[in-house]
Amino acid sequence: MSNTSNTLQVKPLAPYVRPISGTELMQANPYRPWSARITSIEQLTPTEKLFEFRFTDERICEAFHHEPGQFVELSVFGVGEAPISISSSPSKHGFFELCVRRAGAVTRALHDMQCGDLVGIRGPFGHGFPFEKMKGHDVICVAGGLGIAPLRSLINNIHDERSSFGKVTIIYGSRTPKEVMFREQFEMWQHRLDFDLYLTVDHPDDTWDGHVGVVTKPIAELDIDASNTFGAICGPPVMYRFVIDELRKKHISYDHIYVSFERNMKCGMGKCGHCQIGHQYVCSDGPVFNYWEAKNIQGSM
Ligand SMILES: Cc1cc2nc3c(=O)[nH]c(=O)nc-3n(C[C@H](O)[C@H](O)[C@H](O)COP(=O)(O)OP(=O)(O)OC[C@H]3O[C@@H](n4cnc5c(N)ncnc54)[C@H](O)[C@@H]3O)c2cc1C
């Protein structure tokens, strides 16, 4: 007679499945856009809006990190995809911001969207500004127009770790006062004694009490410790040569000057070749290059 009460009943264990991390998910298929919700929209100028997003999948939210100067591919479902620089600081977790100009199909569709609507995001892609290398040095950020979008990420990142940097100078040029973006943020930086700020416009109106003229004008007036200074530049292509000439007159070496390029691109991962200049892909080798590299890329400037 069997004694069932002495028999150990062992239930088979469920096979252990390790949860997939957000990083693994993103790496598994970098062509897959992840859904992100618009959490706030701010009209900055008649043509630019600042959008804040949060991924709907918490694992992606946690895994998403970027360097200042990197970009994402933003898709509006059923319309298309466009590369857009991340404008918020890497120290802001869970959310990220994109400053977007209404330019064509995708950006027009995005501008028509509301808070709560969903978009697709791939990335972040490319190489950004060398934040760690810049630590312990003075930094001059020169932005023209929409170029302030990626530089804002760098400036805010410096702001969050201000004691790790020397003198920080921000020069931002716009065509008219109406086109000046992030006014409140500039006012905040203006009140800090540890940022030197130059806002300049080409065509002032009665409301303007800042500087007038192109961004090279304030650089000429700066007292710069060349051996200890990094330059970070982003703006319309025409601006680069003049700004670099001015920084060179101050004896900042080419390998301490960083420029961010915009080129038509598709995949964002150095596969399709749309953004190739010379032997480099702007999407994966850049979009931020140091000028020493950039000047050797045929057709870059
Ligand atoms: C690395 C990178 C970062 C960018 N960051 C931002 C950003 O932060 N904010 C923002 O608003 N835009 C940014 N752009 C530009 C944006 O990707 C283009 O304006 C994009 O074409 C918009 O898509 P669309 O479908 O709305 O316009 P489209 O229908 O593609 O085109 C609108 C017009 O812009 C032209 N165009 C397309 N791409 C470019 C380009 N790269 N440079 C100049 N002209 C172009 C087209 O030929 C067309 O005339 C960035 C581009 C790159 C490559």
Side-chain angles (χ1 to χ4, degrees):
M1 212 173 107
S2 66
N3 179 358
T4 48
S5 64
N6 283 341
T7 311
L8 189 63
Q9 301 285 316
V10 180
K11 272 197 190 160
L13 282 175
Y16 174 70
V17 182
R18 188 174 61 81
I20 300 175
S21 74
T23 310
E24 285 168 320
L25 278 172
M26 287 161 86
Q27 283 169 354
N29 180 4
Y31 294 100
R32 175 185 166 165
W34 291 94
S35 133
R37 195 176 299 285
I38 302 174
T39 48
S40 86
I41 304 174
E42 187 185 340
Q43 184 91 43
L44 297 173
T45 72
T47 48
E48 273 99 11
K49 285 184 180 177
L50 182 71
F51 296 86
E52 185 193 64
F53 300 90
R54 185 178 175 87
F55 287 104
T56 53
D57 186 324
E58 279 306 315
R59 294 167 299 176
I60 304 297
C61 235
E62 233 170 75
F64 186 85
H65 296 288
H66 75 278
E67 298 164 12
Q70 281 190 302
F71 67 97
V72 291
E73 287 283 349
L74 171 134
S75 45
V76 176
F77 301 118
V79 181
E81 205 177 33
I84 305 289
S85 306
I86 302 169
S87 190
S88 44
S89 169
S91 54
K92 184 168 174 158
H93 293 297
F95 296 87
F96 63 96
E97 290 169 334
L98 306 178
C99 168
V100 183
R101 173 172 293 169
R102 195 183 176 100
V106 174
T107 50
R108 252 200 322 265
L110 179 71
H111 269 241
D112 291 341
M113 293 175 100
Q114 312 293 328
C115 282
D117 288 347
L118 295 174
V119 298
I121 297 287
R122 295 192 294 124
F125 294 122
H127 288 97
F129 294 99
F131 187 72
E132 290 303 320
K133 228 163 125 180
M134 286 174 162
K135 282 184 178 171
H137 296 82
D138 296 348
V139 182
I140 302 177
C141 298
V142 187
L146 192 54
I148 192 65
L151 276 184
R152 176 175 174 262
S153 177
L154 176 67
I155 297 166
N156 274 325
N157 206 179
I158 292 174
H159 176 271
D160 296 334
E161 298 188 35
R162 185 62 189 90
S163 58
S164 304
F165 293 85
K167 198 159 86 175
V168 179
T169 308
I170 303 164
I171 302 170
Y172 170 36
S174 306
R175 273 183 304 197
T176 65
K178 259 202 261 167
E179 288 163 73
V180 178
M181 290 186 270
F182 305 114
R183 280 189 180 239
E184 281 173 19
Q185 187 136 53
F186 276 104
E187 268 166 32
M188 186 190 87
W189 289 333
Q190 202 139 32
H191 285 105
R192 286 186 64 119
L193 297 176
D194 52 4
F195 279 106
D196 289 336
L197 190 64
Y198 297 84
L199 287 190
T200 178
V201 298
D202 299 342
H203 308 290
D205 60 17
D206 298 344
T207 63
W208 187 250
D209 60 357
H211 296 264
V212 175
V214 288
V215 288
T216 44
K217 229 170 121 184
I219 303 175
E221 292 159 15
L222 292 179
D223 184 17
I224 292 174
D225 173 5
S227 63
N228 189 40
T229 300
F230 276 94
I233 311 168
C234 192
V238 63
M239 194 188 92
Y240 286 78
R241 191 158 53 84
F242 297 104
V243 171
I244 287 163
D245 281 353
E246 215 54 56
L247 292 179
R248 286 295 294 152
K249 278 188 208 159
K250 299 283 182 183
H251 308 291
I252 300 180
S253 67
Y254 282 157
D255 63 342
H256 272 204
I257 299 174
Y258 282 79
V259 292
S260 177
F261 285 145
E262 263 193 30
R263 284 292 185 278
N264 273 321
M265 53 179 70
K266 287 282 172 218
C267 71
M269 294 179 286
K271 305 278 187 220
C272 71
H274 272 78
C275 64
Q276 188 172 3
I277 34 174
H279 61 288
Q280 305 263 29
Y281 291 109
V282 174
C283 66
S284 52
D285 297 314
V288 176
F289 294 90
N290 80 39
Y291 183 61
W292 185 251
E293 293 165 344
K295 80 187 208 32
N296 293 316
I297 307 173
Q298 197 191 355
S300 64
M301 310 206 159

